[in-house]
Amino acid sequence: QVQLVESGGGSVQTGGSLRLSCQASGNTVIWGWFRQAPGKEREGVAAINRDGITATAHSVRGRFTISQDNAKNTMYLQMSSLKPEDTAMYYCAAGDSSFPSISPTAYAYWGQGTQVTVSS
């Protein structure tokens, strides 16, 4: 069983930056960030495996960067040039697949989420 705790969400204006963190209580093979806006399906944002191989959604490529600190068992999502359409609840997830995937089906463990709100 892996427990995940997200932090770092908040409210910013368009063009601002935030860094999300996800602390894991157990070992993960892959983990990723997902987001869900009201009335929309959960969307994969970025994923990373323990070797540092990443996958990033087209919608955030060039603006969001996923990284990890294996010694701290913590994953990060650096978000820059934020837009109002980035507003959503952001979730951290962990799974056992070998390849980082931004599909929710690859993940068995989920955090409670942290809210990101971008105002225009």
Side-chain angles (χ1 to χ4, degrees), residues 18-81:
L18 283 173
R19 188 176 81 156
L20 305 182
S21 299
C22 175
Q23 174 83 47
S25 64
N27 293 324
T28 65
V29 179
I30 59 168
W31 43 356
W33 288 99
F34 294 80
R35 66 187 182 185
Q36 189 166 19
K40 295 188 177 181
E41 293 187 355
R42 190 164 293 190
E43 172 191 20
V45 176
I48 189 169
N49 70 2
R50 287 294 179 173
D51 294 328
I53 298 173
T54 63
T56 307
H58 285 287
S59 59
V60 302
R61 199 166 293 172
R63 299 188 299 121
F64 291 10
T65 302
I66 190 170
S67 62
Q68 63 189 349
D69 185 331
N70 290 336
K72 296 181 179 179
N73 220 17
T74 301
M75 175 181 63
Y76 305 97
L77 184 69
Q78 178 66 48
M79 304 185 294
S80 303
S81 301

